Amino acid sequence: AIVAFVDSDVIYPRSCSNDHLLRQYNRIVRLAGGPKIIFCAELFQFEHDAKHDVPGFPSWAVGEKPQLTDGSITHLRIKAEGRDKNVCYAHCFYDGGGPKFLNSGGFMGPVKYLHAMVNEVDAKMNQFLFHNEIGLETYRKSHGRRPGDQHFYWDYFLAHRDLVTLDYLGAVFQAMAGVIVESGAIGVNEAGDLYNQYFDEKMCLAHFNAGAHFSAADAVLKMLHNK
């Protein structure tokens, strides 16, 4: 069985059927060369510090969406230096390109592989939080808080690149942090589908994370209601 885990702030429009969702999952798996698990990708990097370890856009993603690398996304609420404290937490940055940073608010794959991943991440997270006082205190001093699960899913992704990929295309998941819905980036087409103009994709699982919790979600819900 293929299942999707999502945060509670995810909108699943009725126009995205289960069949369409599964087709999009299989599309990413095929293009990416066979990974089993797909994570939501976002425009900003949260939680993980290893900037230089973040993979660039894979060729299969750029081949599908050349706009990923142009660095000219215009519908973001960000400051000139690439940070907006209304959107970003500490140790968060945006580099001008498309979404290439893992977001743990959505992931999808076969139960067998998700079960193994969640168990491994849970064990490592518990070990760090409850049995590594020095490491935890160092992290807390640097970030002002404890690490969340996303930090450990980042580690898992970087260690299992053959098994895990990100949804760089927004085919299944789209993280809304930083997106200004009113810019026209998000809309509802004639068929009544929630649509992302930047990705040129019908939206399936829209994750209103970080600063997008209220304003963007409210704007999108109004769009759907008016249709």
Side-chain angles (χ1 to χ4, degrees):
I2 305 293
V3 299
F5 282 85
V6 296
D7 278 358
S8 60
D9 54 5
V10 168
I11 291 178
Y12 181 27
R14 64 183 181 183
S15 57
C16 182
S17 66
N18 289 341
D19 286 343
H20 179 79
L21 184 64
L22 186 58
R23 284 197 300 273
Q24 293 291 67
Y25 166 82
N26 288 327
R27 172 189 170 198
I28 297 295
V29 169
R30 174 179 55 81
L31 288 170
K36 303 297 183 181
I37 300 172
I38 296 173
F39 268 88
C40 179
E42 63 183 326
L43 294 161
F44 299 92
Q45 183 185 25
F46 297 97
E47 295 275 359
H48 206 274
D49 300 333
K51 294 182 181 181
H52 300 296
D53 290 340
V54 176
F57 293 106
S59 58
W60 63 265
V62 176
E64 288 283 300
K65 309 285 183 184
Q67 68 268 38
L68 287 172
T69 58
D70 66 10
S72 61
I73 298 175
T74 59
H75 55 270
L76 297 178
R77 187 181 289 112
I78 58 173
K79 296 179 180 178
E81 68 270 24
R83 292 175 182 266
D84 183 340
K85 294 305 181 183
N86 293 320
V87 173
C88 287
Y89 302 121
H91 288 259
C92 159
F93 74 99
Y94 165 72
D95 68 356
K100 64 179 177 184
F101 304 112
L102 179 145
N103 179 279
S104 62
F107 51 86
M108 185 174 181
V111 171
K112 171 184 174 181
Y113 294 94
L114 296 185
H115 183 259
M117 176 183 71
V118 170
N119 280 345
E120 181 176 327
V121 167
D122 183 59
K124 290 185 176 180
M125 185 172 177
N126 286 333
Q127 173 66 29
F128 186 85
L129 292 179
F130 302 112
H131 303 284
N132 186 354
E133 293 184 9
I134 295 176
L136 179 59
E137 185 60 24
T138 300
Y139 187 98
R140 185 184 283 117
K141 287 181 178 179
S142 174
H143 295 70
R145 57 183 169 77
R146 289 159 36 120
D149 66 325
Q150 187 160 297
H151 176 92
F152 298 93
Y153 280 116
W154 256 112
D155 286 342
Y156 189 88
F157 164 54
L158 294 174
H160 298 83
R161 297 290 307 285
D162 59 331
L163 181 63
V164 183
T165 191
L166 307 186
D167 184 5
Y168 299 100
L169 309 184
V172 174
F173 302 102
Q174 294 183 22
M176 294 292 101
V179 175
I180 301 175
V181 175
E182 295 80 3
S183 69
I186 309 298
V188 179
N189 63 18
E190 291 300 318
D193 300 328
L194 193 61
Y195 208 78
N196 187 311
Q197 303 293 340
Y198 171 75
F199 282 113
D200 192 26
E201 294 280 355
K202 180 163 68 173
M203 297 176 70
C204 274
L205 299 174
H207 179 27
F208 292 87
N209 57 316
H213 272 131
F214 301 109
S215 59
D218 183 62
V220 168
L221 288 172
K222 285 179 179 177
M223 286 181 188
L224 292 171
H225 176 74
N226 291 335
K227 277 291 184 177

